Amino acid sequence: MKLKCVYMRGGTSKAVFFHKKDLPEDVAIWPKLFMKVMGTPDSKQIDGMGGAAQITSKIAVVAPSEQPDCDVDYTFFQVGIEEPIVADNLNCGNISCAVGPFAVDEGLVTAEEPVTVVRVYNTNTRKVIEEHIPVKSGKALTKGVASIMGVPGTGAGMDIFFEKPGGAATGKLFPTGNVLDILEPEGYPSVEATLIDCSNPVMILASKNLGLKGSEIEPFLSDKELLTHIESIRSAAAVKFGFVEQAKDATEQSLAAPKVAVISRPHDYKGSDGNMILKEDMDICSRIISVGAFHKTHPITSGIAIAAAASIPGTVAWNLIGENWDHKTLKIGHPYGILPIKIVMDGDTVAKAGTIRTARRIMDGYIYIEEE
C-alpha cells in the first residue's frame, strides 16, 4: 500500500501529514496504519518515519472544515515509540502551527500576500487556532529572520493563537474545581499539584517535591526511578481528571493525558545545545513529561497551561512566581532555551494564548506500508 503524504516540521516537532481523503474511510484501522507509518513499536522506529523521539512520532490529518467559521479541520495523533499506542485525546501546539502552511501549499485556502489568516479547527480538543501565515507567490514563506529555541537557523515567523483554550479535554479549566489539589500516589508521599485543562490537560508540580532543582537536563532526567515516581503521581492525577477510574490503569489507558509540567523559579543552566540559558531571560523554568518520557524541548500547549496557571492565584505556578512577571508574556525556560507564551485573560478565563513559530515542508510524496 502507498499513501500520499507530506513530511513537515512545525516548531520543534515533525509529523507526517495526510489529507483525510487520502486515508482509508474506515477510521478504525488508522491507529494500526499510523503505527506502521512511524515504525512502532520499536525503540529505534527503524522501519518507519518516526525518529525515535516523541517530538518526531506524530501524525496530522487535515480536511476542509465542517465548521462555518473555520478553513480546515485538523486531527492530531501521538504515536508511541516502544509502546503500541496511538493517542488522539490531545493536541500538539507545534504541529498545529504547520497546519496553516500545509493548508496554503495544498490549496485548501486561498493564498493572500503578505499574510494569509488560516482558521484551524482542532477536532481533538474542539478548539479553534488562528494562524497568521506569511505568504509569497502563492506559497507559505519559509525563509525569514525569526528564530525559535530548539530549531537551528531562522525561518518565516508566524503568529499562532489558541482561542478560548480552557477545558479542551474536560470542559473545565480546573476539572476538580480546585486550583490546588493534594495527590496521593501509590508508594510515594502525597504532593500538591495544579490540575489544569488549557489547550491540553496538564498536571503542574513544583520541582522541589521531586527532589529536583528544576533545571536538570539529560541524562539525569532519564532516571527510571524518577520517571516511575512521576508516573505514580500522574496516575493519581489521571483519576482526578476523570480519564481513568483507577490509578493502576492510567499508564495503559491514558499515557498521553495528562502531561506533566515540573516547574521551578528561574535558574542559570547549560542547555541541551551547550549554550547557557540565563535566569534573567525567563520567568519560570519548566520540564515536561509526555507519554512517559521527558520532552526534549517544550510543547506550546503545556506552555499555555503553565501561563494560565501563573495568571491565577493559588496555583502551583502562581505560588512560585506570583506577580513577578508582566502577565502578558510568560517566558518559559526549557532544555533548549526560552518559549514565550502570550496570554490574554478575561478575569479567570483564558481569552486566547499563543506564541510565534516557524514551520516548513521537508518532503512530499508517498509512504509505503507493508500490508499484512
Side-chain angles (χ1 to χ4, degrees), residues 310 313 318 321-327:
W318 176 278
I321 62 172
E323 297 288 356
N324 295 326
W325 66 291
D326 66 8
H327 288 259

Side-chain angles (χ1 to χ4, degrees), residues 181-221:
D181 282 285
I182 303 297
L183 301 177
E184 297 181 352
E186 185 175 350
Y188 296 94
S190 60
V191 63
E192 290 184 340
T194 290
L195 310 184
I196 188 168
D197 180 10
C198 193
S199 286
N200 270 328
V202 179
M203 175 186 74
I204 303 176
L205 296 172
S207 62
K208 64 181 181 181
N209 290 322
L210 297 170
L212 299 174
K213 183 177 180 181
S215 56
E216 291 85 353
I217 307 287
E218 298 279 8
F220 178 70
L221 293 180

Side-chain angles (χ1 to χ4, degrees), residues 96-105 109 111-120 130-136 139-142 156-160 357 359:
S96 295
C97 79
V99 175
F102 176 85
V104 170
D105 289 348
V109 297
E112 297 180 1
E113 296 186 25
V115 174
T116 299
V117 176
V118 182
R119 289 181 60 79
V120 178
E130 185 175 281
E131 306 184 14
H132 297 244
I133 311 302
V135 169
K136 186 175 183 180
K139 297 292 183 181
L141 192 63
T142 58
M158 67 181 77
D159 290 320
I160 174 171
R357 295 279 91 178

Side-chain angles (χ1 to χ4, degrees), residues 23-28 30:
L23 291 171
E25 289 187 9
D26 184 3
V27 297
W30 285 10

Side-chain angles (χ1 to χ4, degrees), residues 43 52-58 78-83 85 90 218-224 226-232 234 251 254-262 286-299 302 335:
S43 62
Q54 298 165 31
I55 59 175
T56 58
S57 192
K58 302 183 176 188
Q78 178 73 59
V79 183
I81 300 172
E82 297 181 67
E83 306 86 359
I85 61 172
L90 73 169
E218 298 279 8
F220 178 70
L221 293 180
S222 294
D223 182 85
K224 289 186 178 180
L226 174 62
L227 290 174
T228 299
H229 184 181
I230 292 171
E231 179 58 16
S232 182
R234 195 196 71 85
T251 300
S254 189
L255 185 60
K259 295 182 185 294
V260 180
V262 179
S286 174
R287 300 292 182 265
I288 299 297
I289 298 89
S290 174
V291 197
F294 275 85
H295 198 285
K296 293 183 182 296
T297 55
H298 203 288
S302 299

Side-chain angles (χ1 to χ4, degrees), residues 201-365:
V202 179
M203 175 186 74
I204 303 176
L205 296 172
S207 62
K208 64 181 181 181
N209 290 322
L210 297 170
L212 299 174
K213 183 177 180 181
S215 56
E216 291 85 353
I217 307 287
E218 298 279 8
F220 178 70
L221 293 180
S222 294
D223 182 85
K224 289 186 178 180
E225 172 55 32
L226 174 62
L227 290 174
T228 299
H229 184 181
I230 292 171
E231 179 58 16
S232 182
I233 303 171
R234 195 196 71 85
S235 296
V239 176
K240 294 276 192 179
F241 271 102
F243 297 143
V244 293
E245 292 185 2
Q246 299 182 68
K248 65 181 180 65
D249 297 325
T251 300
E252 181 178 344
Q253 297 179 13
S254 189
L255 185 60
K259 295 182 185 294
V260 180
V262 179
I263 63 172
S264 64
R265 292 187 177 91
H267 301 285
D268 293 339
Y269 57 90
K270 184 179 289 187
S272 294
D273 58 2
N275 292 322
M276 285 301 300
I277 302 169
L278 305 178
K279 62 182 180 181
E280 57 259 34
D281 293 332
M282 69 183 81
D283 298 307
I284 201 166
C285 188
S286 174
R287 300 292 182 265
I288 299 297
I289 298 89
S290 174
V291 197
F294 275 85
H295 198 285
K296 293 183 182 296
T297 55
H298 203 288
I300 295 172
T301 52
S302 299
I304 290 173
I306 294 169
S311 303
I312 298 171
T315 67
V316 170
W318 176 278
N319 292 341
L320 275 176
I321 62 172
E323 297 288 356
N324 295 326
W325 66 291
D326 66 8
H327 288 259
K328 295 179 180 178
T329 301
L330 185 73
K331 299 182 288 295
I332 302 172
H334 62 79
Y336 269 95
I338 308 297
L339 172 65
I341 297 291
K342 300 176 182 178
I343 188 163
V344 177
M345 299 293 295
D346 182 7
D348 286 345
T349 300
V350 184
K352 66 177 182 178
T355 190
I356 185 170
R357 295 279 91 178
T358 64
R360 79 175 187 93
R361 178 179 297 232
I362 295 174
M363 61 160 286
D364 52 37

Side-chain angles (χ1 to χ4, degrees), residues 8-13 94-95 97-98 101 134 141-149 151-160 300 355-360:
M8 294 195 70
R9 175 184 65 79
T12 56
S13 293
N94 279 294
I95 294 306
C97 79
L141 192 63
T142 58
K143 292 183 178 180
V145 298
S147 174
I148 61 173
M149 299 294 186
V151 178
T154 61
M158 67 181 77
D159 290 320
I160 174 171
I300 295 172
T355 190
I356 185 170
R357 295 279 91 178
T358 64
R360 79 175 187 93

